[in-house]
């Protein structure tokens, strides 16, 4: 019997596990780091234990400390969630040695699947189909390259210890091999402390379909159908669904049985996922088995009406699986969209910041939001930037998809960039609606999924933005306010002799000038605005977080947020953040070539790729840094040369720090 459960994790998954444990009457213990002192999972648990500083190595990965605290508190089981210690065989062993139930498979099963190459050998022996490739121990570059040359390009280099798409590189020709291998090895070493690689034939248009399996200690095993996770960026899932569209009952059963075979081959116990690549001709290949609960498990819960965390706890207590294969029924269709703090238009660069406004859609029986953060919380550099998982269910794929889009339209976040607009574009895309899913979906449709700089805001929203800044002026809101904001001194509401002014809006690094003419009558509040060649007549009111406007006779309403002079307007398709440029700063904001040489976020320098003063071409990679466990390459803004690097590999840099000084070619020539 489990009476007290420690959750060795944080964020949404810790909250998710606590929820089920609590409904089962199990006492819960959370763990936390400095950054998570006031986190949601800490508040939700009955008790919480401090582990250490914010970097996971100093807190969430401290296996011995977690065991020691568990013993002190009389904890009888540990749920590892996903990530962190969830696939750490040593930790599972440590639990067993200390008579604590590890809510997961036996250490031997984790070990067997821990290395993608070792796993492939086991699966090969068990007769599970594999993607052609090299998964041997010889790691000489020449051996790996010879394997790639032989199977023919494109190939995929994969970290044997990999996960989360890290340490993975596509190679399209022999000439790219060495550079790709070095990058994949570096990323793998940084993320997993190991740079063993395998080489696989790269399938160009596969689907990612995975099977949820569950086994108990009594030898029973079932599969809870499949999930399609083909829509990915950087080999990481973005929208998952269950069941996989257009999956025939025959392939479902074949794949389900292959997954059970894989699990049985390693005497599996608990929740596991067997991932396959499904090719266009219906053949499928084993990719890997994840020996834990997956991020996307809620879609399976929605279509089976089962609580998988409850299943995990039941199995961990040594009991039989709650249902047999025949008793499991697949009903309806479910989607999960992962809401991330990131900038899709900037190569999905993770973002950090404060969630100044966080308004998820209303939760119902069919709309579920799994999250570990609240309004006002920080998305820090230390952990995965996922904010929430939005999960919806419908009687059919069509109904579920409509609900997904509706829920995304009613999801408001401000304070940092998110992928919500991008998710809406994916979900509304014809190809997605028609279930034309492959893992290259995002690349294939990039023209319509990403917004060009010009499209990001339509002209018609500029007057609304301008009006918002006017209506939110302290001088406008309260005549008695005498704050020293620069614009106030010339504000028309203070001094009636000014009837015209220019407001410079800073939108995505671009300054847009709006000339505003005020009517003489303050009470009327009608404004004339000139933006480039376009003229607008604008009126409107602000009410709490909503601005209602009439622009050239067209009536609209937008939700907005305004915090410390930073504004965000939300509308159906997108949201847009902006601020007002104080008059003296107008010129500086426009140059973005220096910005390219700044650290995009806090991180560590990994490699300097060119020698100082050596000529480099525009776009050539010059420096690699790592942040949030991903590599970011800084490229030359134009032809020229690096004068000097300000940091060396291994050094930490703050986001925004200038990384190097750069001499553009033309400027250099002048001195000649
Ligand atoms: P990770 O453990 O890092 O998530 P996986 O092995 O699960 O790595 O692969 C992640 C994704 O990479 C897959 O979902 C698929 O999109 C893509 N992928 C992996 N192997 C291949 C392959 N051989 N050919 C084409 N795509 C692949």
């Amino acid at each position: 019997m489990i009476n007290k459960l420690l959750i060795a994790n944080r964020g949404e998954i810790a909250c998710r596990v606590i929820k089920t444990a609590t409904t089962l009457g199990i006492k819960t213990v959370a763990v936390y780091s400095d950054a998570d002192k006031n986190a949601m999972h800490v508040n939700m648990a009955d008790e919480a234990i401090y582990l250490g500083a914010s970097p996971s190595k100093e807190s969430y990965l401290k296996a011995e400390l977690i065991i020691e605290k568990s013993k002190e508190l009389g904890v009888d089981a540990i749920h590892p969630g996903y990530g962190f210690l969830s696939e750490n065989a040593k930790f599972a062993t440590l639990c067993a040695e200390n008579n604590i139930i590890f809510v997961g498979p036996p250490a031997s099963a984790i070990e067997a699947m821990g290395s993608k190459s070792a796993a492939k050998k086991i699966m090969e022996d068990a007769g599970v189909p594999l993607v052609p490739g090299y998964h041997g121990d010889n790691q000489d570059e020449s051996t790996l390259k010879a394997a790639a040359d032989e199977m023919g390009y494109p190939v995929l280099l994969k970290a044997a210890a990999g996960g989360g798409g890290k340490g993975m590189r596509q190679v399209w020709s022999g000439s790219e091999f060495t550079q790709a291998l070095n990058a994949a090895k570096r990323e793998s070493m940084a993320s997993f402390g190991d740079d063993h690689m395998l080489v696989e034939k790269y399938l160009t248009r596969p689907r990612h379909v995975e099977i949820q399996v569950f086994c108990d200690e009594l030898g029973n095993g079932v599969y809870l159908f499949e999930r399609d996770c083909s829509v990915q960026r950087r080999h990481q899932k973005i929208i998952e669904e269950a069941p996989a569209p257009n999956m025939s009952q025959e392939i479902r059963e074949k794949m389900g049985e292959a997954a059970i075979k894989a699990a049985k081959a390693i005497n599996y116990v608990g929740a596991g996922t067997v991932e396959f690549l499904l090719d266009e001709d219906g053949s499928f290949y084993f990719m890997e088995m994840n020996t834990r609960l997956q991020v996307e498990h809620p879609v399976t819960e929605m279509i089976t009406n089962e609580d998988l965390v409850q299943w995990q706890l039941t199995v961990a207590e040594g009991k039989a699986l709650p249902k047999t294969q025949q008793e499991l029924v697949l009903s309806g269709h479910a989607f999960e969209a992962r809401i991330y703090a990131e900038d899709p238009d900037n190569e999905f660069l993770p973002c950090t910041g404060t969630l100044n406004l966080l308004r998820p859609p209303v939760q119902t029986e069919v709309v579920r939001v799994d999250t570990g953060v609240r309004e006002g919380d920080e998305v820090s550099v230390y952990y995965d930037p996922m904010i929430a998982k939005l999960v919806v269910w419908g009687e059919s794929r069509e109904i579920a998809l409509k609900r997904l889009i509706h829920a995304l339209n009613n999801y408001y976040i401000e304070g940092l960039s998110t992928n919500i607009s991008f998710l809406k574009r994916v979900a509304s895309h014809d190809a997605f609606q028609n279930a034309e899913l492959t893992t290259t979906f995002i690349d294939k449709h990039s023209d319509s999924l990403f917004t060009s700089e010009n499209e990001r805001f339509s002209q018609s929203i500029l007057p609304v933005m301008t009006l918002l800044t006017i209506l939110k002026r302290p001088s406008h809101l309260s005549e008695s306010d005498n704050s020293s904001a620069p614009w106030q001194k010339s504000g028309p509401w203070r001094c009636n002799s000014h009837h015209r002014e220019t407001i410079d809006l800073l939108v995505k690094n671009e300054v847009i000038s709006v000339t505003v003419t005020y009517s003489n009558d303050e009470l009327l509040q009608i404004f004339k605005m000139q933006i480039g060649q376009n003229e607008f007549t604008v009126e409107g009111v602000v009410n709490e977080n909503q601005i209602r406007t009439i622009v050239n006779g067209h009536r609209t309403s937008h939700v907005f947020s305004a915090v410390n002079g930073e504004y965000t307007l939300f509308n159906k398709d997108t949201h847009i953040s902006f601020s007002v440029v104080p008059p003296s700063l107008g010129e500086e904001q426009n140059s973005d070539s220096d910005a390219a040489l700044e650290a995009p976020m806090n991180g560590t320098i990994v490699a300097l790729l060119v020698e100082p003063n050596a000529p480099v071409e525009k776009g050539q990679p010059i420096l690699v840094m790592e942040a949030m466990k991903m590599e970011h390459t800084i490229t030359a803004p134009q032809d020229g040369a690096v004068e000097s690097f300000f940091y060396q590999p291994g050094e930490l840099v703050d986001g925004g720090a200038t990384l190097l000084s750069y001499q553009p070619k033309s400027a250099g020539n002048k001195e000649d």
Side-chain angles (χ1 to χ4, degrees):
M1 275 287 279
I2 298 174
N3 292 309
K4 197 169 188 180
L5 178 73
L6 180 140
I7 299 94
N9 214 303
R10 63 178 302 283
E12 72 83 19
I13 192 62
C15 298
R16 160 77 193 88
V17 174
I18 293 170
K19 221 177 254 173
T20 291
T22 306
T23 58
L24 296 174
I26 296 173
K27 287 209 184 71
T28 54
V29 182
V31 292
Y32 66 95
S33 68
D34 281 336
D36 283 340
K37 242 181 266 163
N38 300 312
M40 188 164 157
H41 73 281
V42 174
N43 283 5
M44 276 176 72
D46 297 312
E47 289 171 72
I49 290 292
Y50 172 72
L51 294 178
S54 307
S56 353
K57 264 194 217 128
E58 292 168 49
S59 45
Y60 295 106
L61 291 173
K62 289 208 137 185
E64 271 95 8
L65 180 64
I66 292 172
I67 298 283
E68 188 190 311
K69 296 287 181 191
S70 299
K71 282 163 68 178
E72 267 173 40
L73 290 174
V75 161
D76 39 29
I78 297 182
H79 194 302
Y82 52 72
F84 297 128
L85 295 167
S86 62
E87 291 178 286
N88 183 319
K90 279 195 201 124
F91 184 64
T93 306
L94 212 52
C95 288
E97 284 169 0
N98 286 279
N99 284 325
I100 297 171
I101 298 170
F102 175 75
V103 182
S108 57
I110 301 180
E111 219 149 62
M113 290 295 139
S115 157
K116 286 188 207 263
S117 43
K120 295 215 160 168
K121 281 187 201 125
I122 297 172
M123 292 306 142
E124 201 166 32
D125 294 345
V128 179
L130 298 185
V131 187
Y134 172 81
H135 39 85
D137 290 330
N138 188 336
Q139 289 289 300
D140 294 342
E141 184 180 330
S142 55
T143 308
L144 298 176
K145 172 125 194 322
D149 288 343
E150 197 185 15
M151 72 186 85
Y153 294 89
V155 300
L156 188 66
L157 293 168
K158 267 191 198 180
K166 286 170 198 126
M168 205 182 263
R169 287 287 185 286
Q170 293 164 20
V171 192
W172 290 83
S173 72
S175 62
E176 294 170 12
F177 191 88
T178 305
Q179 203 192 349
L181 181 67
N182 290 341
K185 279 184 169 233
R186 252 195 330 257
E187 201 169 286
S188 176
M189 191 48 110
S191 300
F192 315 110
D194 175 300
D195 64 1
H196 198 102
M197 286 287 143
L198 46 101
V199 190
E200 260 177 24
K201 181 80 194 148
Y202 184 68
L203 306 182
T204 46
R205 267 189 312 199
R207 287 167 69 182
H208 173 123
V209 178
E210 59 185 33
I211 302 278
Q212 174 72 57
V213 294
F214 242 104
C215 302
D216 63 23
E217 286 176 10
L218 312 170
N220 304 307
V222 297
Y223 60 90
L224 290 91
F225 316 111
E226 77 282 354
R227 298 183 282 256
D228 191 317
C229 313
S230 299
V231 179
Q232 306 179 340
R233 52 122 173 78
R234 284 207 205 114
H235 301 300
Q236 270 190 288
K237 300 158 187 166
I238 307 181
I239 299 187
E240 300 100 335
E241 58 183 293
N246 309 318
M247 179 98 164
S248 70
Q249 189 55 27
E250 188 199 340
I251 296 182
R252 172 170 298 134
E253 277 170 22
K254 261 200 202 157
M255 204 184 262
E257 278 153 24
I260 294 288
K261 204 158 74 183
K264 291 264 161 87
I266 54 167
N267 296 319
Y268 200 77
V269 177
T273 295
V274 186
E275 298 187 334
F276 294 97
L277 287 175
L278 174 61
D279 218 345
E280 286 159 298
D281 63 0
S283 38
F284 57 85
Y285 308 99
F286 170 83
M287 215 172 4
E288 66 165 343
M289 177 166 182
N290 290 321
T291 53
R292 53 170 161 81
L293 194 67
Q294 302 264 103
V295 176
E296 60 274 22
H297 75 274
V299 288
T300 301
E301 297 189 318
M302 294 296 236
I303 58 152
T304 56
N305 218 1
E306 300 292 332
D307 178 333
L308 296 194
V309 174
Q310 185 172 353
W311 276 53
Q312 283 191 296
L313 296 172
T314 305
V315 168
E317 287 182 329
K319 296 183 188 145
L321 291 174
K323 286 200 171 156
T324 63
Q325 193 67 58
Q326 287 68 36
E327 286 167 340
L328 284 163
V329 181
L330 193 168
S331 139
H333 202 98
F335 286 98
E336 172 183 278
R338 300 190 188 190
I339 314 288
Y340 279 103
E342 66 181 15
D343 184 357
D345 290 326
N346 191 6
E347 293 176 24
F348 297 98
L349 196 69
C351 296
T352 56
T354 307
L355 294 157
N356 291 328
L357 177 95
L358 179 60
R359 272 208 234 159
V362 177
Q363 294 197 54
T364 62
E365 284 267 288
V366 293
V367 177
R368 161 175 166 185
V369 178
D370 281 16
T371 188
V373 287
R374 299 150 301 199
E375 192 164 277
D377 283 354
E378 192 82 22
V379 175
S380 76
V381 69
Y382 299 108
Y383 315 111
D384 186 80
M386 191 167 76
I387 298 170
K389 305 185 310 202
L390 170 64
V391 188
V392 300
W393 180 89
E395 293 75 3
S396 65
R397 185 175 192 268
E398 200 185 339
I399 296 171
L401 188 49
K402 260 199 196 133
R403 283 199 180 127
L404 176 68
I405 294 167
H406 186 259
L408 285 167
N409 280 335
N410 287 284
Y411 214 129
Y412 300 113
I413 299 180
E414 196 282 319
L416 32 70
S417 294
T418 74
N419 63 341
I420 294 176
S421 306
F422 180 76
L423 291 169
K424 285 185 216 173
R425 272 178 254 135
V426 172
S428 318
H429 198 283
D430 283 349
F432 190 83
Q433 301 263 337
N434 296 333
E436 292 160 18
L437 305 175
T438 71
T439 57
T440 54
F441 182 91
I442 304 266
D443 281 344
K444 186 170 169 196
H445 303 293
S446 58
D447 284 354
S448 42
L449 293 177
F450 297 96
T451 40
S452 73
E453 205 66 42
N454 296 336
E455 285 168 18
R456 255 178 236 174
F457 44 92
S458 73
Q459 281 275 321
S460 63
I461 198 155
L462 287 167
V464 180
M465 291 156 65
T466 310
L467 182 63
L468 179 62
T469 70
I470 295 169
L471 297 180
K472 289 299 285 181
R473 282 176 179 172
S475 57
H476 185 76
L477 295 172
S478 144
E479 286 290 335
S480 60
D481 186 324
N482 54 14
S483 103
S484 58
W487 52 75
Q488 270 203 270
K489 291 169 196 124
S490 60
W493 306 102
R494 301 225 133 211
C495 169
N496 259 348
S497 61
H498 282 90
H499 294 302
R500 182 191 286 253
E501 70 169 322
T502 300
I503 296 178
D504 288 332
L505 297 178
L506 177 63
V507 198
K508 288 260 176 197
N509 286 331
E510 192 184 334
V511 177
I512 296 164
S513 292
V514 185
T515 306
V516 186
T517 312
Y518 300 84
S519 74
N520 280 329
D521 184 349
E522 281 186 21
L523 293 174
L524 255 179
Q525 300 201 359
I526 294 179
F527 306 82
K528 293 252 181 250
M529 296 187 193
Q530 169 113 28
I531 304 166
Q533 299 300 312
N534 299 322
E535 275 195 17
F536 303 90
T537 305
V538 189
E539 58 186 301
V541 287
V542 157
N543 194 347
E544 291 189 352
N545 275 325
Q546 194 160 44
I547 177 166
R548 282 184 288 139
T549 47
I550 306 175
V551 178
N552 290 350
H554 182 68
R555 205 178 271 267
T556 53
S557 132
H558 295 86
V559 171
F560 73 89
S561 91
V563 182
N564 299 331
E566 290 289 331
Y567 300 90
T568 302
L569 265 190
F570 298 90
N571 69 14
K572 243 190 158 44
D573 317 311
T574 183
H575 68 269
I576 180 159
S577 296
F578 58 101
S579 57
V580 175
V581 188
S584 59
L585 291 182
E587 306 225 318
E588 289 168 29
Q589 301 284 353
N590 244 342
S591 96
D592 68 356
S593 61
D594 288 348
L597 303 175
E598 289 173 358
M601 60 205 317
N602 297 355
T604 312
I605 302 298
V606 176
L608 311 178
L609 302 177
V610 296
E611 293 292 327
N613 298 317
V616 293
E617 285 173 14
K618 181 176 177 180
Q620 185 178 338
I622 47 182
L623 178 151
V624 181
M625 64 175 287
E626 193 224 77
M628 290 183 152
K629 302 216 171 121
M630 300 293 295
E631 282 199 355
H632 303 282
T633 304
I634 308 290
T635 55
Q638 45 191 296
D639 291 355
V642 173
E643 281 183 327
S644 56
F645 288 103
F646 300 150
Y647 297 90
Q648 293 304 310
E651 283 190 271
L652 292 171
V653 289
D654 290 334
T658 304
L659 297 169
L660 50 97
S661 67
Y662 195 81
Q663 182 74 14
K665 197 172 174 187
S666 51
N669 287 345
K670 275 184 214 149
E671 284 168 17
D672 288 345

